[in-house]
Amino acid sequence: DIGGIGRKYHLKVVLEDVLDQDSTVNCTAEVLYHLGNKNVAPDVQFTLEGELKNTDEADNIFYSRIKSLEEELVAENIPDSHGNMPPEMKPIHLLAWVASGYVIWQNSTENTMFQLAQIKHVKQVKRSDEYLEFDYTILLHEMVTQEIIPWQMTVLWHPQHGVQVTQ
Amino acid sequence: LQVDLWQPSSPFHIIEGTVTDVRVPRNASRSLLPYLQHANIQYTILLADVQRAIENQTGLRTYRNRRSLSGYNYEVYHTLEEIQDWMQHLNRTHPDLVHLFSVGTSYEGRPLSVLKLGKRSRPYKKAVWIDCGIHAREWIGPAFCQWFVKEALQTYQTDPAMRKMLTQLYFYIMPVFNVDGYHFSWTNDRFWRKTRSKNTRFRCHGVDANRNWKVKWCDEGASFHPCDDTYCGPFPESEPEVKAVAHFLRKHRKQIKAYLSFHAYAQMLLYPYSYKYATIPNFSCVESAASNAVNALQSAYGIRYRYGPASSTLYVSSGSSMDWAYKTGIPYAFAFELRDTGHFGFLLPETLIKPTCTETMLAVKNITLHLLKKCH
């Protein structure tokens, strides 16, 4: 407890690659939840003890595939009710996962636990610059209240420049 | 001649040279193919039998296969109707081990079905109660209940542990507790959680069936608002499903030695209390049962489950079935939160049904055998 400011947590976590469970990286972090003001995201400082895997090849394959689509990508219900997802949607799902991480961080308090439940709808927006843009409608599951919360997010991505999220 | 256009998405996109995929009924292909040949249009048959491809993919829902235990596909999610048919089928084909009965009727008038499993070996036998699908969207729950029954019937003669279990105990299995909600999650809203009872004053439906039991009802961790997903209901046991099962459990409380309720997701094995931070009187027995069960589960595929009292392991909630069962006198009351921890969440892929159920079986068998060793 930090008087007048908030509550700080010191964490030691292990990051596990979703696509390769044997690939792990240790991480230490400090999370500060601010007192009172619920509209401010918690402060997060972290240190990775090791390196994240290089994903350039997969990134470039995905980037080229989307860039070369004749029509803008449109999809819904990823995964579907039975948990299935066409293989070509996997990167779209992973991108949503990353972007929703940002949304979750911005909306987290000590009494929330959010997970991405499903991509309800995703639509690519063609851009004249080199970024890829996707408009997502996602469903977030909040564990404590058990509510399913729809959320709109616009995601920009580029293999070298990373992810950007606007809500 | 009408064709079903599969590619491109509209005739608007068809120009000379475009690759086009169409589906036709079998008799129509007899006129289509000669026509294409005559018009000098190249074609390849991609799928000669679409019906067969669909059946192979969705796991054979044909009637012919529902007739046998081995024909039913335990690695896909089933509709309520399919589960009801399956229960009736087992009742007919395994009269020595299975007895199907109903404990009541749901809000929308559906039967609340329970399977009683076990050899009628002696006049008085203790029992284990297992329910799945208290929350509609947690599909892996009912999938596990069906898997458990299948394992019991298929391995009863070859597996000494299963034989011992079914000889010395009865198992009451309720594959779908919240039948109305489960049906609704198939037809309308995959993420529906509650029952489907109508509310008089608000336009919201349903009560959280795991907040509606008469144990510290509607205290912390439950909501008074009918539109919330943790709505405790207008009063305890307001939901006919909860009332019916509570009535049954109360009546058989001397016989029932374990209450197991299956939920998803979090990968946890929980025991009381949910409504407060306190240690149960028979803590050492329950804790060691949980610890052994979680180790047994992990031995299958290395999946780690957390375990402990629900209030500190998951969150505080009041009016839960597990706390009520314990308060009613059932010494072992557990709630499982099955796979996963959030990557797929409620939408656990069908390909993970088998590993999830396989590892969970080990935990359930472990708890049952622990129970038979008398540490209450």
Side-chain angles (χ1 to χ4, degrees), chain B residues 236-299:
Chain B
E237 297 183 18
S238 62
E239 301 313 282
E241 299 84 359
V242 172
K243 183 171 181 178
V245 172
H247 177 84
F248 180 85
L249 293 175
R250 213 177 280 124
K251 194 163 88 175
H252 293 85
R253 68 183 182 279
K254 296 256 162 62
Q255 183 198 26
I256 297 173
K257 293 300 168 194
Y259 172 87
L260 269 51
S261 191
F262 288 86
H263 296 258
Y265 59 88
Q267 288 176 201
M268 290 176 179
L269 175 51
L270 307 168
Y271 49 82
Y273 300 102
S274 314
Y275 69 86
K276 62 177 175 181
Y277 296 108
T279 311
I280 46 177
N282 62 342
F283 172 78
S284 63
C285 288
V286 170
E287 197 274 347
S288 61
S291 172
N292 292 336
V294 156
N295 284 337
L297 189 151
Q298 189 175 350
S299 72

Side-chain angles (χ1 to χ4, degrees), chain B residues 134-150:
Chain B
I134 280 184
H135 293 132
R137 59 194 179 201
E138 298 165 13
W139 286 12
I140 187 63
F144 173 72
C145 268
Q146 293 167 73
W147 188 279
F148 179 88
V149 172
K150 179 248 309 173

Side-chain angles (χ1 to χ4, degrees), chain A residues 18 71 78-85 93-94 97 113 115-118 139 141 143-148, chain B residues 13 61 77 137 139 186 190-191 193 227-230 265-266 315 341-344 346-350:
Chain A
V18 159
E71 283 190 13
I78 298 168
D80 68 16
S81 286
H82 294 234
N84 299 317
M85 162 165 44
H93 183 240
L94 290 171
W97 196 264
M113 182 168 148
Q115 296 281 355
L116 174 66
Q118 190 187 43
L139 295 177
H141 171 229
M143 195 59 98
V144 179
T145 58
Q146 287 294 329
E147 298 293 335
I148 298 284
Chain B
H13 296 294
R61 287 183 216 262
Y77 295 115
R137 59 194 179 201
W139 286 12
W186 272 81
R190 177 61 178 83
F191 292 106
R193 169 182 165 89
C227 295
D228 285 351
D229 259 329
T230 54
Y265 59 88
Y315 45 55
T341 53
H343 187 75
F344 286 103
F346 299 119
L347 306 182
L348 196 70
E350 289 171 319

Side-chain angles (χ1 to χ4, degrees), chain B residues 37 102 110 129 156 215 218 264 281 284 339 362 375:
Chain B
Q37 281 161 4
S102 155
R110 299 185 171 89
W129 169 278
Y156 151 77
V215 56
C218 222
S284 63
R339 288 204 205 180
L362 297 177
C375 164

Side-chain angles (χ1 to χ4, degrees), chain B residues 108-359:
Chain B
E108 290 178 343
R110 299 185 171 89
L112 298 172
S113 304
V114 177
L115 292 167
K116 180 178 182 180
L117 256 53
K119 204 81 182 129
R120 279 169 212 93
S121 46
R122 53 188 94 145
Y124 180 78
K125 279 170 52 172
K126 300 212 177 82
V128 173
W129 169 278
I130 294 178
D131 64 50
C132 300
I134 280 184
H135 293 132
R137 59 194 179 201
E138 298 165 13
W139 286 12
I140 187 63
F144 173 72
C145 268
Q146 293 167 73
W147 188 279
F148 179 88
V149 172
K150 179 248 309 173
E151 280 294 303
L153 298 178
Q154 273 182 0
T155 68
Y156 151 77
Q157 286 175 329
T158 50
D159 176 16
M162 188 60 81
R163 190 163 56 238
K164 184 173 179 180
M165 283 160 59
L166 291 174
T167 308
Q168 299 195 6
L169 298 163
Y170 280 122
F171 285 83
Y172 294 110
I173 317 282
M174 189 173 190
V176 187
F177 182 104
N178 181 4
V179 287
D180 298 345
Y182 186 74
H183 183 259
F184 193 76
S185 73
W186 272 81
T187 57
N188 286 72
D189 181 356
R190 177 61 178 83
F191 292 106
W192 190 257
R193 169 182 165 89
K194 302 186 286 183
T195 60
R196 290 295 300 164
S197 51
K198 290 194 184 67
N199 187 272
T200 45
R201 276 184 291 126
F202 289 81
R203 275 208 284 132
C204 297
H205 289 240
V207 167
D208 186 337
N210 210 25
R211 301 287 184 280
N212 190 237
W213 300 72
K214 198 167 175 189
V215 56
K216 217 48 159 48
W217 174 79
C218 222
D219 200 60
E220 230 189 296
S223 171
F224 261 120
H225 200 288
C227 295
D228 285 351
D229 259 329
T230 54
Y231 176 47
C232 56
F235 52 88
E237 297 183 18
S238 62
E239 301 313 282
E241 299 84 359
V242 172
K243 183 171 181 178
V245 172
H247 177 84
F248 180 85
L249 293 175
R250 213 177 280 124
K251 194 163 88 175
H252 293 85
R253 68 183 182 279
K254 296 256 162 62
Q255 183 198 26
I256 297 173
K257 293 300 168 194
Y259 172 87
L260 269 51
S261 191
F262 288 86
H263 296 258
Y265 59 88
Q267 288 176 201
M268 290 176 179
L269 175 51
L270 307 168
Y271 49 82
Y273 300 102
S274 314
Y275 69 86
K276 62 177 175 181
Y277 296 108
T279 311
I280 46 177
N282 62 342
F283 172 78
S284 63
C285 288
V286 170
E287 197 274 347
S288 61
S291 172
N292 292 336
V294 156
N295 284 337
L297 189 151
Q298 189 175 350
S299 72
Y301 304 99
I303 297 294
R304 283 216 180 97
Y305 267 54
R306 300 221 295 273
Y307 68 95
S311 52
S312 48
T313 313
L314 183 59
Y315 45 55
V316 170
S317 70
S318 53
S320 74
S321 67
M322 176 183 75
D323 281 352
W324 180 90
Y326 188 73
K327 186 189 87 163
T328 301
I330 296 172
Y332 286 96
F334 289 104
F336 277 80
E337 291 280 352
L338 299 177
R339 288 204 205 180
D340 58 12
T341 53
H343 187 75
F344 286 103
F346 299 119
L347 306 182
L348 196 70
E350 289 171 319
T351 48
L352 293 182
I353 291 178
K354 180 173 169 181
T356 303
C357 291
T358 302
E359 68 195 8

